[in-house]
CSV table of all heavy atoms in Angstrom, one decimal:
chain,number,residue,atom,x,y,z
D,140,ALA,N,-22.6,18.2,11.0
D,140,ALA,CA,-23.0,19.5,10.5
D,140,ALA,C,-23.1,19.5,9.0
D,140,ALA,O,-24.0,20.1,8.4
D,140,ALA,CB,-22.1,20.6,11.0
D,141,VAL,N,-22.2,18.8,8.3
D,141,VAL,CA,-22.2,18.7,6.9
D,141,VAL,C,-23.4,17.9,6.4
D,141,VAL,O,-24.1,18.3,5.5
D,141,VAL,CB,-20.9,18.0,6.4
D,141,VAL,CG1,-21.0,17.6,4.9
D,141,VAL,CG2,-19.7,18.9,6.5
D,142,ASP,N,-23.7,16.8,7.1
D,142,ASP,CA,-24.9,16.0,6.8
D,142,ASP,C,-26.2,16.9,6.9
D,142,ASP,O,-27.2,16.6,6.2
D,142,ASP,CB,-25.0,14.8,7.6
D,142,ASP,CG,-24.0,13.7,7.2
D,142,ASP,OD1,-23.4,13.8,6.1
D,142,ASP,OD2,-23.7,12.8,8.0
D,143,CYS,N,-26.2,17.8,7.8
D,143,CYS,CA,-27.4,18.7,8.0
D,143,CYS,C,-27.3,19.9,7.2
D,143,CYS,O,-28.2,20.8,7.3
D,143,CYS,CB,-27.5,19.0,9.5
D,143,CYS,SG,-27.9,17.6,10.5
D,144,ASP,N,-26.3,20.1,6.4
D,144,ASP,CA,-26.0,21.2,5.6
D,144,ASP,C,-25.8,22.5,6.4
D,144,ASP,O,-26.0,23.6,5.9
D,144,ASP,CB,-27.1,21.5,4.5
D,144,ASP,CG,-26.6,22.3,3.3
D,144,ASP,OD1,-25.4,22.2,3.0
D,144,ASP,OD2,-27.4,23.0,2.7
D,145,ASP,N,-25.4,22.3,7.7
D,145,ASP,CA,-25.1,23.5,8.5
D,145,ASP,C,-23.7,23.9,8.4
D,145,ASP,O,-23.3,24.9,9.0
D,145,ASP,CB,-25.4,23.1,10.0
D,145,ASP,CG,-26.9,22.8,10.2
D,145,ASP,OD1,-27.7,23.4,9.5
D,145,ASP,OD2,-27.2,22.1,11.2
D,146,ALA,N,-22.9,23.2,7.7
D,146,ALA,CA,-21.5,23.5,7.6
D,146,ALA,C,-21.0,23.7,6.1
D,146,ALA,O,-19.9,23.4,5.8
D,146,ALA,CB,-20.6,22.5,8.3
D,147,ALA,N,-22.0,24.2,5.3
D,147,ALA,CA,-21.7,24.3,3.9
D,147,ALA,C,-20.4,25.0,3.6
D,147,ALA,O,-19.7,24.7,2.7
D,147,ALA,CB,-22.9,24.9,3.1
D,148,GLU,N,-20.2,26.1,4.4
D,148,GLU,CA,-19.0,26.9,4.1
D,148,GLU,C,-17.7,26.3,4.8
D,148,GLU,O,-16.7,26.8,4.6
D,148,GLU,CB,-19.2,28.3,4.6
D,148,GLU,CG,-19.3,28.5,6.1
D,148,GLU,CD,-20.6,28.0,6.8
D,148,GLU,OE1,-21.5,27.7,6.1
D,148,GLU,OE2,-20.6,28.0,8.0
D,149,ARG,N,-17.9,25.3,5.6
D,149,ARG,CA,-16.8,24.7,6.3
D,149,ARG,C,-16.6,23.2,5.9
D,149,ARG,O,-16.5,22.3,6.7
D,149,ARG,CB,-17.0,24.8,7.8
D,149,ARG,CG,-17.1,26.2,8.3
D,149,ARG,CD,-17.4,26.1,9.8
D,149,ARG,NE,-18.4,25.1,10.0
D,149,ARG,CZ,-19.1,25.0,11.1
D,149,ARG,NH1,-19.0,25.9,12.1
D,149,ARG,NH2,-20.1,24.1,11.3
D,150,ARG,N,-16.4,23.0,4.6
D,150,ARG,CA,-16.2,21.6,4.2
D,150,ARG,C,-14.7,21.5,3.7
D,150,ARG,O,-14.4,21.9,2.6
D,150,ARG,CB,-17.1,21.3,3.0
D,150,ARG,CG,-18.5,21.2,3.4
D,150,ARG,CD,-19.5,20.9,2.4
D,150,ARG,NE,-20.8,20.9,2.9
D,150,ARG,CZ,-21.9,20.6,2.1
D,150,ARG,NH1,-21.7,20.3,0.9
D,150,ARG,NH2,-23.1,20.7,2.6
D,151,PRO,N,-13.9,21.1,4.6
D,151,PRO,CA,-12.4,21.2,4.4
D,151,PRO,C,-11.8,20.1,3.5
D,151,PRO,O,-10.7,20.3,3.1
D,151,PRO,CB,-11.9,21.1,5.8
D,151,PRO,CG,-12.9,20.1,6.5
D,151,PRO,CD,-14.2,20.6,6.0
D,152,LEU,N,-12.5,19.1,3.3
D,152,LEU,CA,-11.9,17.9,2.6
D,152,LEU,C,-11.2,18.2,1.3
D,152,LEU,O,-10.1,17.9,1.1
D,152,LEU,CB,-12.8,16.7,2.5
D,152,LEU,CG,-12.2,15.4,2.0
D,152,LEU,CD1,-11.1,15.0,3.0
D,152,LEU,CD2,-13.2,14.3,1.9
D,153,LEU,N,-12.0,18.8,0.4
D,153,LEU,CA,-11.4,19.1,-1.0
D,153,LEU,C,-10.2,20.0,-0.9
D,153,LEU,O,-9.1,19.7,-1.5
D,153,LEU,CB,-12.4,19.8,-1.9
D,153,LEU,CG,-13.5,18.9,-2.4
D,153,LEU,CD1,-14.4,19.7,-3.3
D,153,LEU,CD2,-13.0,17.6,-3.1
D,154,ALA,N,-10.3,21.1,-0.1
D,154,ALA,CA,-9.1,22.0,0.0
D,154,ALA,C,-7.9,21.3,0.7
D,154,ALA,O,-6.8,21.5,0.2
D,154,ALA,CB,-9.5,23.2,0.8
D,155,ARG,N,-8.2,20.5,1.7
D,155,ARG,CA,-7.1,19.9,2.4
D,155,ARG,C,-6.4,18.8,1.6
D,155,ARG,O,-5.2,18.7,1.6
D,155,ARG,CB,-7.6,19.3,3.7
D,155,ARG,CG,-8.1,20.4,4.7
D,155,ARG,CD,-7.0,21.3,5.2
D,155,ARG,NE,-6.0,20.7,6.0
D,155,ARG,CZ,-6.0,20.4,7.3
D,155,ARG,NH1,-7.1,20.7,8.0
D,155,ARG,NH2,-5.0,19.8,7.8
D,156,LEU,N,-7.2,18.1,0.8
D,156,LEU,CA,-6.7,17.1,-0.1
D,156,LEU,C,-5.9,17.7,-1.2
D,156,LEU,O,-4.8,17.2,-1.6
D,156,LEU,CB,-7.8,16.2,-0.7
D,156,LEU,CG,-8.4,15.2,0.3
D,156,LEU,CD1,-9.5,14.4,-0.5
D,156,LEU,CD2,-7.5,14.3,0.9
D,157,ALA,N,-6.3,18.8,-1.7
D,157,ALA,CA,-5.6,19.6,-2.7
D,157,ALA,C,-4.3,20.1,-2.2
D,157,ALA,O,-3.2,19.9,-2.9
D,157,ALA,CB,-6.4,20.7,-3.3
D,158,GLU,N,-4.3,20.6,-1.0
D,158,GLU,CA,-3.0,21.1,-0.4
D,158,GLU,C,-2.0,20.0,-0.2
D,158,GLU,O,-0.8,20.2,-0.3
D,158,GLU,CB,-3.3,21.7,1.0
D,158,GLU,CG,-4.1,23.0,1.0
D,158,GLU,CD,-4.6,23.3,2.4
D,158,GLU,OE1,-4.2,22.7,3.4
D,158,GLU,OE2,-5.4,24.3,2.5
D,159,ALA,N,-2.5,18.8,0.1
D,159,ALA,CA,-1.6,17.6,0.2
D,159,ALA,C,-1.2,16.9,-1.1
D,159,ALA,O,-0.5,16.0,-1.1
D,159,ALA,CB,-2.3,16.6,1.2
Side-chain angles (χ1 to χ4, degrees):
V141 166
D142 285 344
C143 294
D144 203 30
D145 293 335
E148 72 284 351
R149 297 177 315 197
R150 294 184 183 179
L152 188 59
L153 288 182
R155 297 293 298 276
L156 290 178
E158 290 169 9

